[in-house]
Amino acid sequence: QVLVRSLTRWFQLVNLAEDNERLRRLRARELAEAPAPRRGSLRDAVMRLAADGVGVEALERLLARALVSPVMTAHPTEARRRTTLDKLTRVFTVLRGLDERRSTPEAEAVATSRLAAAVQELWGSDEIRAVSPSVLDEVRTGIVYMTSTLVDLVPRLYRELEAAIGEAYPGHELPVPPLLRFGSWMGGDRDGNPFVTPEATVETLRTMREACLRLLHGRVIALAERVSLSSRLVGEAAALEPVLLGGAERFEELAAALELRNPEEPYRRAFSLIARRVRATVEGDAEGYAAPTELLTELRACQQALREGHGSAVAAGDVQDVIRQVEVFGFHFARLDIREHADVHRKALAEILSVLGLVEDYAVRPVAERVAILVREIETRRPLIPADVSGFSEPTRNAVETFRMLHEQCAGDHGDALLSYIVSGTEGPADVLEVLLLMKECRLADAGGGGARLRIVPLFEAGETLAAGAQTVGTLVGVPCYRRMLAALGDEQEIMVGYSDSNKDGGYLTAQWALYRAEVDLVRVTRAAGVKLRLFHGRGGTVGRGGGPSYDAIRAQPPGSVDGQVRITEQGEVVAAKYADAELARRNLETVLAATLEASTIDAVAPDPAAGGGPDDPRAVMSALSHSAEAAYRSLVYDTEGFVEVFRAITPINEIAQLNIGSRPSSRTASNRIEDLRAIPWVFSWSQCRIMLPGWYGAGHAFESWAGLDPARINRLRHLHETWPFLRTVLSNMGMVLAKSDLTIAHRYLQLCDDRGLAEGIFARIAAEHDRTVQWWHRITGHDELLADNPALARSIRNRFPYLDPLHHQQVELLRRYRAGDTDELVQRGIHLTINGIATGLRNSG
């Protein structure tokens, strides 16, 4: 265990050093290229828009509708404990401090001492959790990222965007609305997680609100301490009168005391009264703010008074920062998405309709009949579900109680924090209308669909449902009660597309093309219906789950599919990698914002590179490639006898399920089938044995089947790679996965399979396809080496290999002993340590 722990800690520290080196290179590039902007920066994006003829009015319209929303999830691919993340953050802070300024010998000695202490704490602390984190543990971890990095970063990003606009559009003052908003699934994602109960969601909302309000209270107190402008020196502040009078009415004693203590300092009195009202909001006092808009009104009154009274710099400084924080974070830091599987709603309504004697066998009726039944019940004013649901089964009671809880929370203190209800497993329009019926029954919408308080978000993920997504949405927008629901929420339809299950269903290349094609169709259908579309991308950290550079991913979306708005999940170890440090978080958010602005304007007016005609146009080529890749992938994964047994033998999938890295189970059911396994442990397991199968399998077969030895077709693929951002991004990400794979190491895991002959046969197919895929990657990209376009990453991966090798040796031996019956605690702990160490060494492994 000493060796495993040493290597794991070494990888953790090397990761920090590499992150710091990346920031150092970015700074050096900025200085070298100045005054030209750095690619991917906000300044670069805005300058590009101006250079490409995007006028002031067009930019103002874009900003008015823009929304960039990173959504933090609790999906279990982060194997490290929070205490470990805290210590690593301290190390990184010291490293950056040494790198950013010239230190005296004494300062360097102090920094070295701090580093040594943090590393010693790391070495003496457990890497793995003794118990699984609870739902609230995950919520509190998310809050840590908000309070430690994001809350101070957000105003800085807005300043940079405003400065870039001022430089690119001189003489024009464009208002920059709060286009950055955060989301969360922690405490709201109940799909397959029995621990996310209605009570857990209520406690989540309460915890988020209390933490956010306490932070805002401290920020307003700081304003009261700093803004000491005297009316005797700068004049009276008429705009403050409503704030001062309202505060005096609510808190008479405090107002009187402030008048005695700060008679000529009206801003101090105003901010002190605002802070007192924020505290009242925390305490649930009736004198508190009912919503963030009320707090913003008073803060803006103070800001206006400063502008009119010789305090414009103060108004644009600290006061504006607090206003931005309230605009972006509200009273909860993030909006909480609620997610549940369509099967839960269908079964609950089937039982209710049957018990009440209205409809028998609802769940198995044709879709058209189910839709007709649902529309009838949504339109009628008669309640369907009785107040007393004790006579129904527990799953049905839970489903109904969830919607009743959501009504109570929306009508109470948490209305601003709840907006979206995501329906995973959506197969057709009935799956969405079932949620609308439950909303109507629980007073989250009126009879007929109007007055809706929650947005229903279908999640299309598996192959067939993703392909049918546009048809599903087309049917929905033609249903009057559904259109009334949309009208109540601004005629905007949010749709989530899942990268993980679509990949597990058909393989990497097929999933990427299915997503692209589905987005094109969704844009067409919603535009024809006059409905605004917002896409929500369910991406993970690794390529097999939609991971890869965010800038390239957004820029590679089909033209018109971004249109100013992007929501993206931030999952597992990616959350810490992107948001544990303020500077890393800044670079990540800046990149996403910049890519969204560019994709919304430049690409919106450009022709779709995939549009064309004939058998060799890009869509026809990709459809043919997708079909071949899917056939090869499914032939191996779903049609090969014994594949499931070999997969479970040569990967630590069963042991991963025992590792306490998340609050929810690794499988939706007790089934042993691949179909029922969650996509996250599916990808995570293949990375542990270094096969990385979900990120490449089937692609080589597809390229060879379509192009063969035909020089014209090979050149066609090369041309598409050079000119089409979609295919270039797909192959770039595939190259990263192939670079991290190592079939020599993977072959060692075959000894874990009892049927060695079966394992060898399946592995031979995998190895042949791996060789084929690598060869075609070289042939299409023209690169001699994997990651030739990213030498820093290539060097990083190459340098890690020698240190990953002993971890794999240890893991194979420990798995062999454990499965042979040696259940000693040290053996089990050693397995978990190797899983943690390999994940740390590979970084984006889940």
Side-chain angles (χ1 to χ4, degrees):
Q1 288 193 17
V2 172
L3 174 63
V4 175
R5 293 182 66 238
S6 298
L7 290 172
T8 300
R9 294 308 191 198
W10 183 81
F11 277 131
Q12 289 171 346
L13 296 172
V14 165
N15 290 346
L16 297 182
E18 288 187 352
D19 287 340
N20 190 53
E21 172 62 19
R22 181 160 61 91
L23 292 176
R24 182 190 293 127
R25 289 197 309 269
L26 286 171
R27 287 196 300 272
R29 190 189 311 161
E30 283 178 335
L31 293 172
E33 297 176 355
R38 174 182 51 82
R39 182 179 180 269
S41 66
L42 283 172
R43 183 165 169 249
D44 178 55
V46 176
M47 298 292 277
R48 282 172 181 258
L49 302 187
D52 287 333
V54 177
V56 175
E57 293 182 357
L59 180 59
E60 188 171 8
R61 288 194 299 270
L62 170 60
L63 293 174
R65 71 175 186 274
L67 174 73
V68 173
S69 179
V71 180
M72 294 187 183
T73 77
H75 287 178
T77 58
E78 174 56 85
R80 295 169 298 181
R81 299 173 63 204
R82 195 170 88 189
T83 185
T84 298
L85 295 174
D86 290 343
K87 291 174 175 57
L88 292 173
T89 299
R90 285 164 46 203
V91 171
F92 192 65
T93 300
V94 176
L95 284 177
R96 286 193 51 240
L98 287 170
D99 202 41
E100 288 181 346
R101 53 185 174 269
R102 297 179 63 182
S103 300
T104 63
E106 292 80 5
E108 286 191 8
V110 171
T112 301
S113 175
R114 291 172 61 196
L115 283 173
V119 171
Q120 191 173 63
E121 288 177 28
L122 271 174
W123 180 252
S125 301
D126 270 334
E127 292 98 321
I128 56 178
R129 300 179 179 93
V131 296
S132 296
S134 69
V135 173
L136 280 181
D137 287 335
E138 294 169 338
V139 172
R140 294 186 184 103
T141 297
I143 290 174
V144 167
Y145 292 115
M146 295 292 179
T147 55
S148 62
T149 59
L150 293 174
V151 75
D152 290 317
L153 170 62
V154 162
R156 179 182 172 189
L157 276 174
Y158 277 101
R159 291 184 186 282
E160 292 178 5
L161 178 56
E162 289 165 345
I165 293 173
E167 180 183 1
Y169 297 87
H172 299 279
E173 289 191 13
L174 296 184
V176 179
L179 51 89
L180 183 64
R181 297 294 296 268
F182 292 89
S184 175
W185 281 12
M186 302 173 190
D189 183 9
R190 52 208 350 98
D191 178 13
N193 190 340
F195 304 111
V196 183
T197 61
E199 294 76 17
T201 299
V202 171
E203 185 63 17
T204 293
L205 290 165
R206 187 200 63 78
T207 301
M208 292 169 64
R209 191 171 192 266
E210 181 175 327
C212 188
L213 284 169
R214 289 193 183 282
L215 182 137
L216 292 176
H217 178 258
R219 297 305 166 98
V220 180
I221 286 287
L223 290 178
E225 294 171 350
R226 295 175 190 169
V227 186
S228 57
L229 278 68
S230 169
S231 57
R232 182 166 52 85
L233 298 175
V234 300
E236 297 294 333
L240 281 184
E241 286 305 312
V243 178
L244 294 171
L245 290 174
E249 291 176 3
R250 294 183 185 90
F251 311 107
E252 185 176 347
E253 291 185 10
L254 174 61
L258 291 169
E259 186 70 40
L260 289 174
R261 187 167 65 243
N262 310 108
E264 296 179 343
E265 296 176 321
Y267 295 101
R268 273 191 162 161
R269 299 203 309 273
F271 285 124
S272 296
L273 290 167
I274 291 173
R276 179 63 183 86
R277 196 174 176 191
V278 173
R279 196 180 90 193
T281 311
V282 177
E283 296 168 348
D285 193 312
E287 299 294 353
Y289 293 105
T293 51
E294 292 187 0
L295 173 57
L296 285 170
T297 297
E298 295 197 340
L299 288 173
R300 286 171 179 152
C302 295
Q303 185 180 51
Q304 183 61 31
L306 284 165
R307 287 172 177 160
E308 296 172 354
H310 307 286
S312 57
V314 179
D318 292 339
V319 177
Q320 177 63 15
D321 285 353
V322 175
I323 288 174
R324 282 296 188 199
Q325 288 161 345
V326 179
E327 286 177 337
V328 172
F329 297 110
F331 284 172
H332 292 79
F333 285 123
R335 277 180 166 157
L336 182 67
D337 288 348
I338 307 299
R339 186 173 78 135
E340 183 57 280
H341 200 278
D343 285 348
V344 172
H345 313 127
R346 184 183 309 121
K347 291 175 181 177
L349 285 173
E351 180 181 351
I352 291 167
L353 291 166
S354 176
V355 169
L356 296 179
L358 296 173
V359 180
E360 293 296 333
D361 302 324
Y362 164 82
V364 297
R365 293 199 176 203
V367 173
E369 288 187 29
R370 288 168 54 207
V371 168
I373 293 167
L374 293 166
V375 170
R376 182 192 70 204
E377 294 298 329
I378 293 168
E379 294 285 1
T380 184
R381 299 180 64 84
R382 168 189 52 78
L384 172 67
I385 303 175
D388 183 4
V389 294
S390 59
F392 296 110
S393 66
E394 182 179 356
T396 296
R397 292 198 308 271
N398 286 339
V400 174
E401 291 301 333
T402 293
F403 281 89
R404 289 179 175 175
M405 174 273 297
L406 291 174
H407 169 260
E408 292 176 1
Q409 302 310 306
C410 284
D413 292 334
H414 309 296
D416 289 329
L418 291 166
L419 181 61
S420 297
Y421 191 103
I422 301 167
V423 188
S424 56
T426 298
E427 297 179 352
D431 297 321
V432 179
L433 292 172
E434 284 162 357
V435 175
L436 182 54
L437 174 55
L438 289 167
M439 285 172 54
K440 171 249 181 180
E441 289 296 313
C442 299
R443 295 182 292 166
L444 285 162
D446 301 334
R453 296 292 301 273
L454 289 180
R455 173 185 290 123
I456 305 175
V457 181
L459 168 51
F460 301 119
E461 42 196 338
E464 291 183 3
T465 59
L466 190 63
Q471 182 180 349
T472 296
V473 173
T475 300
L476 284 170
V477 295
V479 176
C481 62
Y482 191 77
R483 283 306 293 265
R484 293 187 204 107
M485 185 274 292
L486 287 180
L489 297 165
D491 258 336
E492 187 171 69
Q493 175 67 66
E494 184 171 303
I495 298 171
M496 186 172 184
V497 290
Y499 289 68
S500 302
D501 285 338
S502 57
N503 184 293
K504 183 163 68 74
D505 192 49
Y508 175 64
L509 193 65
T510 301
Q512 293 300 306
W513 178 239
L515 287 157
Y516 189 99
R517 191 177 57 210
E519 290 179 29
V520 170
D521 291 341
L522 288 168
V523 169
R524 173 180 50 80
V525 166
T526 51
R527 281 184 176 175
V531 173
K532 291 173 285 187
L533 172 66
R534 176 191 298 156
L535 286 173
F536 183 4
H537 301 269
R539 304 173 70 219
T542 191
V543 168
R545 296 186 50 243
S550 298
Y551 182 84
D552 294 334
I554 294 172
R555 294 286 277 108
Q557 297 301 307
S561 64
V562 177
D563 197 26
Q565 301 196 342
V566 169
R567 297 191 84 208
I568 305 176
T569 54
E570 305 283 28
Q571 302 180 14
E573 80 278 8
V574 170
V575 176
K578 291 183 177 180
Y579 299 111
D581 174 76
E583 190 60 25
L584 290 173
R586 171 182 169 257
R587 298 289 183 177
N588 173 64
L589 291 176
E590 177 188 48
T591 295
V592 175
L593 280 166
T596 301
L597 292 175
E598 291 183 39
S600 302
T601 52
I602 299 171
D603 288 350
V605 297
D608 184 356
D616 278 354
D617 82 87
R619 292 187 185 183
V621 172
M622 278 307 306
S623 293
L625 292 172
S626 172
H627 180 76
S628 295
E630 181 178 25
Y633 175 86
R634 292 191 66 84
S635 173
L636 175 74
V637 174
Y638 293 102
D639 299 336
T640 299
E641 187 173 351
F643 177 83
V644 174
E645 289 73 21
V646 171
F647 161 66
R648 289 191 173 275
I650 69 173
T651 74
I653 176 63
N654 297 322
E655 290 74 18
I656 287 171
Q658 301 166 12
L659 188 58
N660 298 314
I661 60 176
S663 68
R664 73 176 186 170
S666 63
S667 185
R668 287 187 170 92
T669 71
S671 163
N672 200 39
R673 303 187 316 152
I674 298 293
E675 292 90 336
D676 296 323
L677 182 68
R678 290 192 183 276
I680 297 168
W682 164 257
V683 173
F684 195 61
S685 300
W686 286 114
S687 69
Q688 287 286 309
C689 67
R690 297 291 290 285
I691 294 177
M692 310 284 190
L693 183 139
W696 57 267
Y697 195 91
H701 173 83
F703 293 133
E704 187 166 278
S705 297
W706 187 80
L709 299 177
D710 185 344
R713 289 200 164 192
I714 294 173
N715 287 333
R716 179 65 172 147
L717 291 175
R718 289 172 176 167
H719 177 72
L720 289 176
H721 170 259
E722 292 170 1
T723 60
W724 192 9
F726 165 74
L727 186 58
R728 186 165 59 250
T729 300
V730 166
L731 288 174
S732 175
N733 289 336
M734 188 188 299
M736 179 181 68
V737 175
L738 291 169
K740 288 188 176 184
S741 64
D742 189 322
L743 296 197
T744 301
I745 287 177
H747 192 266
R748 300 173 191 162
Y749 285 79
L750 298 191
Q751 65 181 272
L752 298 172
C753 188
D754 293 334
D755 191 338
R756 187 65 179 268
L758 176 65
E760 289 282 3
I762 289 175
F763 186 81
R765 290 176 62 184
I766 292 173
E769 177 63 10
H770 185 272
D771 289 344
R772 188 181 299 116
T773 303
V774 171
Q775 290 171 12
W776 275 98
W777 187 92
H778 288 309
R779 192 171 294 156
I780 295 170
T781 64
H783 297 313
D784 295 330
E785 299 289 338
L786 294 170
L787 294 176
D789 57 345
N790 193 340
L793 180 57
R795 182 172 60 253
S796 170
I797 293 174
R798 186 169 58 250
N799 291 342
R800 288 162 186 265
F801 276 10
Y803 304 96
L804 281 166
D805 201 30
L807 289 177
H808 289 291
H809 274 297
Q810 291 280 331
Q811 186 176 84
V812 170
E813 175 59 21
L814 290 167
L815 287 171
R816 186 190 63 76
R817 293 183 187 180
Y818 178 67
R819 293 173 182 179
D822 187 350
T823 57
D824 186 275
E825 181 185 354
L826 288 177
V827 173
Q828 296 183 57
R829 183 176 182 80
I831 292 171
H832 292 167
L833 287 171
T834 61
I835 292 172
N836 189 6
I838 292 169
T840 302
L842 292 172
R843 303 203 76 170
N844 58 340
S845 56

